[in-house]
Amino acid sequence: MTKLISNPILKGFNPDPSIVRVDDDYYIVTSTFEWFPGCQIHHSRDLVNWQLINRPLDRVSQLDMRGVPDSCGVWAPCLTHHNGVFYLVYSNVKNFNGNWKDTPNYLVTATDINGPWSEPCFLSSSGFDASLFHDDYGRSYYVNMLVDHRDGKFFGGVILQEFDTKKNQLVGKIHYIFDGTEHGRTEAPHLYKRNGYYYLMTAEGGTSYEHCITLCRSKTITGPYEVHPENPLITAKYSPDNYLQKTGHGDLVETQNGDWYVVFLTGRPLTTLGRCITGRESAIEKVEWRDDGWLYLACGGHEARAFVEAPELPEHAFTPSNTRVNFDSNEIDIHFQSLRVPMTPDWVNQTDRPGFLRLYGRDSLASCFEQSMIARRVQAHSTSAATCIEFNPENFQQMAGLTCYYNSTHHYYLHIYGDDFGQYSGKKYLAIISADNNEISEPLTKPIDVSDLEKVHLKAEYFGAHLQFYYGIDDEGKVKWRKVGPVLDGSILSDDYVEHAEQYFHPCFTGAFYGLACQDLSGQKNFADFGYFDYQEVEP
């Protein structure tokens, strides 16, 4: 019986996959944007089962994102391996306003995929989606899309420059090698070599429903490049009902047995051409080289499938990750990330009160600087997240709770807050904040008085676009749940909604998260203790 790979292979916000094989091990790195630590690396030995193993950009000297706008930060990393060294190239996008784009690109290296990873080397700022190619005659090359600010053009094609692996720097002349095709918006270049041809793979059409993968080739690395006769290689733009939409931004890998696969970005909308609450994910397809020297989908056509034939490799399953985190160790669970800055003990730890996660209040959920929030991805269309909080606010500027978060201007927040600076001393209330395109509202008509409760359980449930909050009270060893507020539109926590809600264009490239958060806008650094975090999903 043929083993099948189930797509997406990396569910939830995991876009822009770059894949590399080292002996029998496969590694995929994906973009993390404003979330810290930067770059997610997943590991597999059979292309079927994948496990998150680390995030290499774990210190400010490698990744300084304090103050970067939403959906900026780490874009489209590229992972390669050459002569025993892992090379990780990434952008740290600082600005994306108007015609001006600030997109510095860096390189870190390691001899072990788990690190330690080096301090960064600056490479260029001419564009983004940079990648390295190591030729078989000893030279390496660097390619990236070129940002052209003139006349609003923006996508300026693909450029190439030699990379010196001994000095870890670019050398020699910059070559303009590809202008793109009629699909437009050319980005995400990757180079390969086979049977005397250099193959250039790019993403085109933008990262939404016009997305596609373009392939071209040349006898010389600097071009000229001819385009695949049946371009694009992969797209869903002509098939709006295909399970996998937004397919593009890919990378190739060859197995030990000579089979070829392509990994690529995808999205799973709630409805046809609708909103993707799980963000941009990563999927895989089998490809084959044909007699004409071109690459094609093994299944024919251009549409990627939900289930794909797996390679004939030994099965390698991983122990499933815990869906419930009890905060009973000194280390924060790997599935949590913070916004823009490292998770340091002065604002988040599991040691001040063993068995609890403690958050010290800092900025609001609208901040691009120092939020006290840790969050994990929503990875299915039907999910829930629950926690238990102990929090004693002294005023209304001190808040803590459970958030469903997309970015600083689009989120929901079930939270506890204090009274009006002592007017009702000791009082605390439960309420909901809704942030939608910078408009703040409170869907709960009257806050719930929880002053007599030492601890309060909080829960959010996602069923497609429907989002419902709950709070719970311990009742003879069980939690008795009660609904809080109306059913909310959870689909606003998606790229598809946010990009059309904003008056002016801003990047919208992440996905929905469940987060634990604490704010102290009075500056007194009051804290909240969380007893557990329980994430569950039900995927049809």
Side-chain angles (χ1 to χ4, degrees):
M1 184 176 179
T2 302
K3 291 187 299 181
L4 295 177
I5 306 172
S6 177
N7 274 322
I9 52 173
L10 305 182
K11 295 178 170 63
F13 159 52
N14 278 288
D16 312 326
S18 170
I19 189 169
V20 65
R21 177 175 69 86
V22 181
D23 298 325
D24 296 334
D25 295 291
Y26 297 83
Y27 303 103
I28 288 179
V29 63
T30 52
S31 299
T32 45
F33 295 87
E34 68 263 43
W35 293 91
F36 199 99
C39 297
Q40 293 215 129
I41 295 181
H42 285 78
H43 171 233
S44 177
R45 292 178 68 88
D46 56 13
L47 297 184
V48 178
N49 302 287
W50 294 87
Q51 183 182 54
L52 176 63
I53 57 170
N54 68 27
R55 299 187 187 93
L57 307 180
D58 59 3
R59 54 193 187 270
V60 173
S61 60
Q62 296 171 318
L63 183 62
D64 185 356
M65 295 192 295
R66 191 175 184 273
V68 304
D70 294 328
S71 282
C72 288
V74 176
W75 285 22
C78 174
L79 183 65
T80 58
H81 187 262
H82 180 63
N83 290 341
V85 177
F86 288 99
Y87 293 84
L88 178 61
V89 176
Y90 61 98
S91 304
N92 182 10
V93 177
K94 299 291 189 179
N95 170 54
F96 218 71
N97 293 326
N99 289 358
W100 308 109
K101 320 297 178 188
D102 297 304
T103 58
N105 300 290
Y106 301 93
L107 167 75
V108 292
T109 60
T111 54
D112 187 312
I113 194 68
N114 291 308
W117 289 84
S118 70
E119 288 298 295
C121 300
F122 174 77
L123 295 173
S124 76
S125 293
S126 59
F128 52 85
D129 290 2
S131 68
L132 283 179
F133 165 68
H134 308 284
D135 210 335
D136 53 14
Y137 65 85
R139 289 187 173 182
S140 295
Y141 294 90
Y142 172 89
V143 288
N144 64 268
M145 69 79 66
L146 178 67
V147 172
D148 188 344
H149 64 268
R150 299 170 298 178
D151 299 322
K153 182 178 179 180
F154 184 60
F155 291 92
V158 177
I159 58 175
L160 173 143
Q161 190 174 6
E162 187 175 346
F163 175 76
D164 188 326
T165 56
K166 293 181 179 179
K167 297 180 179 179
N168 281 347
Q169 66 183 37
L170 299 177
V171 295
K173 181 181 177 181
I174 297 174
H175 300 270
Y176 187 91
I177 64 171
F178 188 55
D179 191 42
T181 74
E182 71 277 8
H183 297 287
R185 301 183 182 185
T186 306
E187 56 188 341
H190 290 291
L191 278 169
Y192 315 92
K193 192 177 185 181
R194 185 177 185 272
N195 293 344
Y197 277 103
Y198 292 95
Y199 289 85
L200 175 65
M201 177 177 284
T202 61
E204 293 196 296
T207 191
S208 189
Y209 289 100
E210 299 295 309
H211 210 191
C212 61
I213 292 178
T214 284
L215 190 67
C216 54
R217 71 183 182 186
S218 173
K219 283 289 188 178
T220 59
I221 196 167
T222 55
Y225 282 84
E226 60 173 320
V227 178
H228 194 301
E230 295 185 20
N231 196 57
L233 175 65
I234 294 179
T235 190
K237 64 190 295 185
Y238 310 118
S239 304
D241 293 321
N242 199 57
Y243 174 65
L244 299 177
Q245 290 291 316
K246 305 183 178 181
T247 49
H249 199 125
D251 194 13
L252 294 173
V253 68
E254 183 181 10
T255 72
Q256 305 93 304
N257 302 329
D259 295 321
W260 286 80
Y261 286 82
V262 58
V263 293
F264 52 92
L265 178 157
T266 191
R268 292 177 292 159
L270 296 171
T271 58
T272 301
L273 302 183
R275 300 171 183 173
C276 302
I277 59 172
T278 49
R280 301 176 309 150
E281 306 170 287
S282 287
I284 194 169
E285 254 293 0
K286 190 172 184 179
V287 289
E288 62 185 16
W289 296 99
R290 297 184 184 170
D291 292 341
D292 61 0
W294 286 106
L295 194 68
Y296 296 83
L297 285 182
C299 61
H302 304 280
E303 294 80 24
R305 298 167 293 169
F307 298 98
V308 177
E309 302 86 358
E312 294 184 5
L313 298 174
E315 182 178 3
H316 189 88
F318 295 101
T319 302
S321 58
N322 293 326
T323 59
R324 184 182 176 98
V325 180
N326 289 317
F327 305 128
D328 52 4
S329 72
N330 291 339
E331 299 294 325
I332 294 174
D333 186 86
I334 192 172
H335 291 95
F336 286 114
Q337 284 183 277
S338 57
L339 279 169
R340 297 176 178 83
V341 296
M343 290 179 274
T344 51
D346 60 307
W347 70 266
V348 56
N349 67 70
Q350 295 171 193
T351 56
D352 283 1
R353 186 183 177 188
F356 290 81
L357 177 91
R358 176 164 290 184
L359 288 175
Y360 289 89
R362 297 191 300 174
D363 292 357
S364 73
L365 290 180
S367 174
C368 293
F369 292 86
E370 293 184 341
Q371 287 201 41
S372 291
M373 175 172 66
I374 64 168
R376 66 148 296 151
R377 287 154 177 75
V378 174
Q379 295 181 283
H381 288 171
S382 297
T383 63
S384 67
T387 189
C388 181
I389 182 173
E390 296 181 29
F391 180 49
N392 295 301
E394 297 176 353
N395 59 66
F396 70 91
Q397 292 182 317
Q398 297 175 347
M399 297 166 280
L402 176 67
T403 181
C404 297
Y405 188 92
Y406 177 83
N407 68 9
S408 63
T409 60
H410 296 83
H411 50 263
Y412 294 109
Y413 191 22
L414 178 64
H415 66 285
I416 294 171
Y417 69 93
D419 62 40
D420 259 346
F421 283 92
Q423 183 178 359
Y424 304 103
S425 182
K427 290 287 187 179
K428 58 183 180 181
Y429 301 93
L430 184 67
I432 300 172
I433 288 176
S434 168
D436 181 355
N437 194 22
N438 269 322
E439 295 291 330
I440 303 300
S441 62
E442 298 188 23
L444 195 60
T445 55
K446 183 180 179 181
I448 299 169
D449 190 336
V450 292
S451 305
D452 295 332
L453 300 176
E454 180 182 356
K455 59 182 179 179
V456 181
H457 297 265
L458 306 176
K459 183 167 70 171
E461 287 185 345
Y462 242 128
F463 290 103
H466 298 151
L467 177 63
Q468 178 69 62
F469 281 123
Y470 299 81
Y471 83 103
I473 301 172
D474 287 326
D475 185 11
E476 297 181 354
K478 296 182 179 180
V479 179
K480 185 176 181 180
W481 293 104
R482 301 173 183 175
K483 289 183 179 180
V484 181
V487 174
L488 303 168
D489 182 4
S491 73
I492 74 166
L493 308 182
S494 65
D495 301 344
D496 316 276
Y497 176 84
V498 175
E499 69 177 346
H500 293 106
E502 299 280 359
Q503 183 178 1
Y504 304 102
F505 174 78
H506 294 285
C508 310
F509 299 139
T510 56
F513 280 71
Y514 288 121
L516 306 178
C518 183
Q519 298 79 35
D520 192 342
L521 308 183
S522 69
Q524 300 176 62
K525 293 188 177 180
N526 198 356
F527 61 83
D529 289 335
F530 296 87
Y532 66 87
F533 181 87
D534 186 70
Y535 171 81
Q536 301 290 336
E537 58 186 52
V538 180
E539 190 70 78

